[in-house]
Amino acid sequence: MDCFLRAFKTYNKLLLVLFLLAGGFPFAYTAQEQSESSQPQKQITIIAQHFSSNYSTIAKSLSLSSLADDYRIVNISLDDWKILKPQSELIISLGYSPLEELLKSEYQGPVLAALITSQEWKELVSQTPPPSSVSAIFYDPDPQRQIVLGKLLLPLSKSVGVMYSMDSPYFLEGYKPAINATDLTLQTLQIKQASEVARQFPVLSQDSDFIIAQPDPVIYNSQTLPRVLLSSYRQRKVIIGYSVGLVNAGAVATTFTTPEMLVDDLRESTSKMLTQGFKRFIRHSAYWDIKYNSEVARSLGLDIVSIETLQSELNKLNLSAENNLEQTPSEKDEL
């Protein structure tokens, strides 16, 4: 029976390869069917480990966007791409694993990485420096926007606190330009295990005018967050969160990018890359908004800051989304 199953699986894989070589594409959301007389379209390939949740939403939206007017858009799983590696004008990688595979396989074609965080990017490129053909758009909150938002909410603030663990060693780099531009003092506290958070957070909070929470599951998780938020409430301390969910739970505010915003950014960036040349960029999404917990902000006597005000202040401080992101950790060490 085992021999039969192995033979059956091998036969199915052979059929898949033959089908693709014959021109078939059994992928989700191929953009359009071409007539036999039409010229072959250049191809954009979207790779994901799996097409579910936000991966599916973004892939489908891009496949049905204006990009489909000029390009054949094919969505392919990471496992299938490893076998087939179809010729592409551009690869859009969604998530950590596809980008990791592209870097390790030394793929040299143009790549636009998305649905990764700035932390994940820095972790990957510290291990395998990317070629100049790889660009990236991060979906986590830009730390510079977070710092300046906190400063605008508390104009008299002098210091900001950040907890970090060994699971998030690169986050602190992203805060430096905004810290320097706003003349704030960065108070940091390293956490080795989650059990330390409840005891250490009040200490950091006492020494800081506001706190920036960053997505680190060692520090902020379902066990620690209730105590952190309760402590901040008792100390009347502003927390700038890392997600809309955390703001809804009790943080004051955060900047954020929705999947729809990311799709718009990816579509426009892809179009520019394919029509104006592959000039590398590494940044947080250019499309974003601010989410407030109005009840918490009101209890702390805070005036709401508009996105226009925050963007104006970022421009005035010369803090763009690309600042401090163009170089890999290894490239910085060489300077």
Side-chain angles (χ1 to χ4, degrees):
M1 179 63 72
D2 289 341
C3 292
F4 174 77
L5 288 175
R6 283 197 297 270
F8 182 73
K9 290 179 180 178
T10 302
Y11 176 72
N12 278 346
K13 287 184 177 179
L14 179 60
L15 284 180
L16 172 64
V17 172
L18 291 174
F19 179 67
L20 292 172
L21 290 175
F25 289 89
F27 311 128
Y29 315 129
T30 50
Q32 65 279 320
E33 296 295 329
Q34 290 177 247
S35 66
E36 293 182 1
S37 60
S38 65
Q39 294 296 322
Q41 284 185 304
K42 295 180 178 179
Q43 179 169 307
I44 297 172
T45 301
I46 303 176
I47 305 175
Q49 188 166 22
H50 53 77
F51 287 96
S52 60
S53 188
N54 284 338
Y55 298 93
S56 175
T57 300
I58 290 173
K60 185 173 183 179
S61 297
L62 289 173
S63 297
L64 298 176
S65 72
S66 57
L67 292 171
D69 295 339
D70 300 306
Y71 298 91
R72 180 176 177 81
I73 302 176
V74 174
N75 299 287
I76 182 171
S77 71
L78 178 57
D79 288 340
D80 286 342
W81 183 85
K82 290 178 182 179
I83 299 171
L84 303 168
K85 297 186 178 178
Q87 185 175 355
S88 307
E89 293 297 302
L90 173 69
I91 287 179
I92 299 176
S93 66
L94 301 180
Y96 184 95
S97 296
L99 178 58
E100 181 182 34
E101 175 62 29
L102 288 164
L103 294 180
K104 287 183 176 179
S105 66
E106 298 183 345
Y107 180 80
Q108 295 299 311
V111 173
L112 176 54
L115 281 182
I116 60 169
T117 65
S118 55
Q119 168 77 13
E120 290 172 331
W121 167 264
K122 290 173 182 178
E123 178 183 318
L124 279 173
V125 302
S126 68
Q127 302 166 4
T128 310
S132 59
S133 57
V134 178
S135 295
I137 298 176
F138 310 130
Y139 73 89
D140 55 320
D142 183 345
Q144 300 184 129
R145 294 173 189 154
Q146 301 282 83
I147 291 286
V148 177
L149 175 59
K151 179 66 174 178
L152 289 175
L153 288 170
L154 295 168
L156 299 180
S157 58
K158 300 296 183 183
S159 62
V160 54
V162 176
M163 287 196 298
Y164 70 100
S165 75
M166 292 308 297
D167 282 5
S168 56
Y170 300 110
F171 271 119
L172 297 181
E173 296 176 7
Y175 296 121
K176 290 178 181 177
I179 290 293
N180 294 335
T182 54
D183 292 326
L184 286 167
T185 300
L186 181 62
Q187 305 286 350
T188 63
L189 186 61
Q190 184 178 8
I191 299 296
K192 295 181 180 179
Q193 52 190 9
S195 59
E196 300 176 3
V197 173
R199 184 178 69 257
Q200 295 295 340
F201 180 83
V203 176
L204 179 66
S205 183
Q206 186 174 358
D207 295 334
S208 310
D209 292 317
F210 65 96
I211 301 293
I212 299 288
Q214 55 195 22
D216 185 331
V218 173
I219 300 173
Y220 300 108
N221 53 57
S222 58
Q223 284 73 45
T224 62
L225 273 172
R227 293 187 178 185
V228 165
L229 294 171
L230 179 60
S231 178
S232 70
Y233 178 78
R234 287 173 174 171
Q235 293 180 291
R236 297 185 57 81
K237 195 66 60 175
V238 169
I239 294 182
I240 304 298
Y242 54 79
S243 69
V244 171
L246 184 51
V247 172
N248 290 335
V252 172
T254 188
T255 59
F256 70 99
T257 295
T258 65
E260 293 77 16
M261 292 175 182
L262 183 58
V263 166
D264 287 341
D265 200 348
L266 287 171
R267 175 180 51 79
E268 293 178 9
S269 299
T270 295
S271 180
K272 288 180 181 178
M273 292 174 74
L274 293 171
T275 59
Q276 300 178 16
F278 296 100
K279 182 179 179 181
R280 183 185 189 184
F281 59 90
I282 301 166
R283 59 173 172 78
H284 287 82
S285 180
Y287 293 100
W288 52 281
D289 204 343
I290 306 173
K291 169 68 176 180
Y292 287 99
N293 187 316
S294 300
E295 184 177 347
V296 175
R298 186 165 51 250
S299 70
L300 294 173
L302 301 175
D303 293 326
I304 299 300
V305 175
S306 68
I307 188 172
E308 292 80 12
T309 300
L310 177 51
Q311 185 62 68
S312 176
E313 187 68 13
L314 289 164
N315 293 339
K316 186 169 68 176
L317 295 173
N318 195 28
L319 294 172
S320 69
E322 294 83 357
N323 273 359
N324 209 37
L325 290 173
E326 287 293 348
Q327 297 166 328
T328 66
S330 61
E331 287 171 339
K332 288 182 180 181
D333 293 341
E334 295 173 1
L335 296 180

